Every structure is written in structure tokens, then in C-alpha cells.
Amino acid sequence: MSLRIAVVGGGIGGLATAAFLRHAGLDATVYEQASEIKEIGAGLIVAPNAVRLLRRLGRLEQFRKTAVPLEVGWEFRRWQDGRVLFSQRMGAECERLYGEWCYTAHRADLLDTLFAAAGEPGPRLDARCVAVRRHGDVAELSFADGSTETADVVIGADGSHSVVRDAVLNTEAAEPPRFSGVCAYRCLVPADRAPEFALRPVQGIWLGPGHHFVHYPISAGRYVNVVAFAPAGDWRVESWTAEGRIEDLRAEFAGWDPRLASLLAAAEQTGRWALLDRGPLPRWTDGPLAVTGDAAHPMFPFLGQGAAQAIEDAAVLAGCLAADPGDPPAALRRYETLRKPRTSQVQLLSHARLYANHLPDGPEQRARDAAFAGEDPLQHNAWIYGHDPEIGITEPSR
């Protein structure tokens, strides 16, 4: 008898899970609340640890048709005058160390790659899961339209506000999220309207008091992705689809280097979301239930590892289920054991970067800037970029 596997959520984490399950010879049904599979207009970093897994799925060439290979992974600049504080080359050196380049991509392009890897019949759309209940070693999913489904395994890839996570924790409370005081603006600028400096294959990061600003090209160079972090004021909306005001974004960075003003002048609209700080969950699994991606470890974007860690989760989860299909709860526990320490470390480190990036001008800021001279992120991030998540997947002992 084959396992009935339900994946709740058709975003990057959910489709990556379905793709790796298929790669492992297991079928899954993906339930997505939206009426179509699409991603909002935003970019992301796809680091070597994720790129290697796309290659294993046989989909790297599709991804590379639109992804932008980074020549410079980090180029930190001072807010007032754009003075370069630190620059780290990636490119061939990244490939030499970790076997792959580092890329920037539109989220939709990565989603298309994973959608193709997951194969037919594709997700069930308009299927908003509203509750999950355990009945021994099986689970029942309830949907907004009143329908139900039963599964031997339920994987929650349903984001920071996960229904499956609530079922996993049951009455055990997760640490409540803490408001960071910071919000993020995001927008896409067409390349034909963007200033020349923003078109380079570089992740530009500008640091200033209480703010920082990131830009890089995506979609085969057709757009420049902008993500800007600023004090949130009374903004508390935590949603990728919430609209902000472009005037507010420009005002936050008034007085910065004029080059940034020219980039923002070319932007016509922006999204805005509040950053809530969440710590590691007490656990990820409960019998046939498990969470993955942002449902398991939502993290700030400052290490560029949110999507990569979700893809790593998918590879390990599929491997564990394939190694022990006769005992799904044991396989899911093995998945949690392998993944939770690593993602917790990435999660906590990404959250700690907020303070360093937003130092006010003064002694601490000058010490931070001086310390860049001794930096080598490509080497000291080896524990992130060089990690092979599929090593160690074995059938758990009884």
C-alpha cells in the first residue's frame, strides 16, 4: 500500500517537498489555497547549498535560463556617499569552493522550476486548509469549502501562519512572535528604467542608521529587485501582499547617496511588511504531522537562506520517508532530528544581523566598518554553503 501524503501549501517549500518526494519515488497531493500558482513580485538569493539540490532534481538548466549568476555576493556601502566598505567576489571562486555559483532570481522563476520538478497532476487549487486533526497514525484535513481528506502523512508548508504547525503543537504554545520595530519595503524596477550601477551582477547592501537597503538584478537582468528596511512606526501588517506607499519608501531614504534616490525614482509601487521575530519551535512533528520551511523556521532575510533552507528540508524529508515508508512517524522524527539544529542556527544568526546592519553612526558603527577588512564571508559561511543535507539519511534504528 502506498503512502497517502498531503502537502499543505503550494509555495516554494510545498513544491520543493512534492518535487523531492517524486524524486524519491513517492506521490504527494499538494493543497494550495490560491486559485493559481504564482509568486509575488520579489527576488531572492539562491545560494550554492540550494543550487546543488536543484541540480539533483534535474532542473538546474531551467532555473539558469532566468537566474542571474552573482559576480559579487556582497558589496557593503556607506549610506551617505556610497563608499565601499567591503566587497566579496563570488563567481568562479564560489564554484571552486562549493561546486556551484550563487544566483539571484525572481521568486516566480524558482517556483516555476520546482513546479516542473513536482510534475503532474499539479496542486489542487482553491483548497484552503482550515484544520488538521490526528486520528491515531492518520490525519484528517478540513477545507474551507467543507470538504475533508485523509492522509497517512501531512506536511505543513503553509508559512508563518501555519494551520499544520498549530496542529503539531496542539496545546503546547510556541514562543510568541516579537515585533522587531522594523518593516521591509520591496519593489521591482524595470532594467530599462534603472540606473546603470544597479544592473551589475552584484548584491549591493547599503548600511545606515536604523536602515539598510539591498538591490540586485533578477529575471535574466530584466528587473532590479529592491528590498529596503526601515523603522516600522505603527505598521504591523505581516503579509507579502500588503501594499505600501512609494512616497513613504522614498522619504525613509531621503538624504542617502543620490544614486539610491535615482533608483527609487524609477520605482512605481512597493509592498510593505512588518518583520516579526520568531524563535525556534519546541518541535516540528507529531505522529503523522510535520512542518517545513517558514512553517517550521521563519527567518529574517539577512542571510539569504529562507528558500534554501526550505529546499534542504524538502530533500531530507523525502529521503527519510523513502528510507522508512513503513513507519511515517519515525521517518518524520528522523527528519526533525536531522534538520532542526541546523535551521535553528541559521534562523538565530539571520535575526542577529538586524542589529549590526542598523547601527547609528558612532563608535560601534566605525568598529563594524573597520572589521569588514578582516571578513571573508565566502569562507566562514562554509557551514551553510558546503552542507549536503542528504548525508546522514538512513533508516532509523528501532
Side-chain angles (χ1 to χ4, degrees):
M1 176 180 168
S2 60
L3 284 177
R4 299 168 298 171
I5 303 175
V7 179
V8 180
I12 288 172
L15 289 183
T17 299
F20 274 99
L21 287 168
R22 184 185 187 210
H23 191 65
L26 299 171
D27 293 326
T29 301
V30 178
Y31 298 93
E32 166 56 39
Q33 65 178 346
S35 58
E36 61 180 316
I37 295 293
K38 65 177 182 177
E39 265 290 1
I40 57 164
L44 75 171
I45 304 294
V46 185
N49 51 314
V51 177
R52 283 194 303 274
L53 294 174
L54 295 180
R55 184 182 293 278
R56 289 179 191 173
L57 287 174
R59 292 291 170 176
L60 183 56
E61 291 311 309
Q62 176 184 348
F63 173 72
R64 289 173 61 179
K65 289 178 181 178
T66 53
V68 176
L70 281 179
E71 292 285 353
V72 177
W74 303 272
E75 187 176 77
F76 287 95
R77 292 177 177 265
R78 179 156 170 78
W79 67 280
Q80 288 173 308
D81 55 12
R83 175 168 54 90
V84 176
L85 304 172
F86 172 79
S87 181
Q88 171 81 67
R89 291 200 66 79
M90 297 284 275
E93 179 65 6
C94 188
E95 184 179 38
R96 183 185 70 80
L97 290 171
Y98 305 120
E100 302 288 355
W101 282 56
C102 185
Y103 297 86
T104 60
H106 195 298
R107 295 181 69 91
D109 295 334
L110 177 58
L111 197 71
D112 286 345
T113 299
L114 295 170
F115 183 90
E120 297 296 338
R124 293 190 187 178
L125 303 176
D126 290 315
R128 182 167 68 89
C129 183
V130 295
V132 179
R133 298 175 182 83
R134 272 191 66 182
H135 300 291
D137 284 340
V138 299
E140 181 183 72
L141 299 90
S142 299
F143 297 92
D145 64 2
S147 65
T148 60
E149 296 286 349
T150 302
D152 302 304
V153 176
V154 175
I155 307 302
D158 47 342
S160 298
H161 305 286
S162 170
V163 170
V164 181
R165 181 195 59 219
D166 293 343
V168 166
L169 296 179
N170 197 3
T171 58
E172 183 178 4
E175 181 183 347
R178 299 178 299 276
F179 178 53
S180 68
V182 172
C183 70
Y185 295 88
R186 55 164 180 82
C187 50
L188 295 183
V189 178
D192 59 3
R193 298 182 56 193
E196 191 68 27
F197 81 92
L199 303 180
R200 298 161 55 225
V202 170
Q203 182 184 193
I205 306 171
W206 302 61
L207 304 181
H211 300 67
H212 78 281
F213 189 103
V214 180
H215 60 82
Y216 47 79
I218 61 170
S219 299
R222 293 191 299 274
Y223 294 95
V224 174
N225 184 68
V226 170
V227 187
F229 301 89
D234 59 0
W235 188 270
R236 294 294 188 276
V237 180
E238 186 192 32
S239 170
W240 282 89
T241 59
E243 290 294 323
R245 291 177 4 112
I246 193 68
E247 297 85 354
D248 294 337
L249 170 56
R250 291 169 180 159
E252 286 291 347
F253 291 88
W256 285 47
D257 186 291
R259 284 172 287 188
L260 293 188
S262 69
L263 177 56
L264 290 177
E268 296 182 341
Q269 58 186 21
T270 183
R272 186 182 184 186
W273 78 97
L275 296 185
L276 298 187
D277 193 354
R278 293 177 172 86
L281 294 179
R283 56 194 173 90
W284 290 10
T285 66
D286 181 33
L289 312 179
V291 287
T292 185
D294 283 349
H297 44 74
M299 57 185 69
F300 288 170
F302 306 135
L303 290 181
Q305 279 289 307
Q309 292 304 307
I311 295 171
E312 285 189 10
D313 287 349
V316 174
L317 195 155
C320 288
L321 284 170
D324 196 16
D327 191 348
L332 297 179
R333 289 193 300 271
R334 178 66 174 161
Y335 152 72
E336 178 179 353
T337 297
L338 289 171
R339 291 297 298 154
K340 192 169 183 291
R342 174 170 167 80
T343 59
S344 295
Q345 186 178 5
V346 175
Q347 185 180 12
L348 293 171
L349 185 59
S350 68
H351 292 196
R353 290 289 294 271
L354 178 61
Y355 174 77
N357 284 352
H358 287 202
L359 289 172
D361 284 350
E364 276 192 283
Q365 164 263 320
R366 289 191 290 272
R368 177 201 65 196
D369 294 353
F372 278 126
E375 284 285 303
D376 187 358
L378 196 56
Q379 292 278 0
H380 72 226
N381 283 329
W383 67 278
I384 296 178
Y385 299 150
H387 181 71
D388 186 341
E390 293 183 314
I391 292 177
I393 298 175
T394 58
E395 185 173 351
S397 58
R398 298 286 187 249

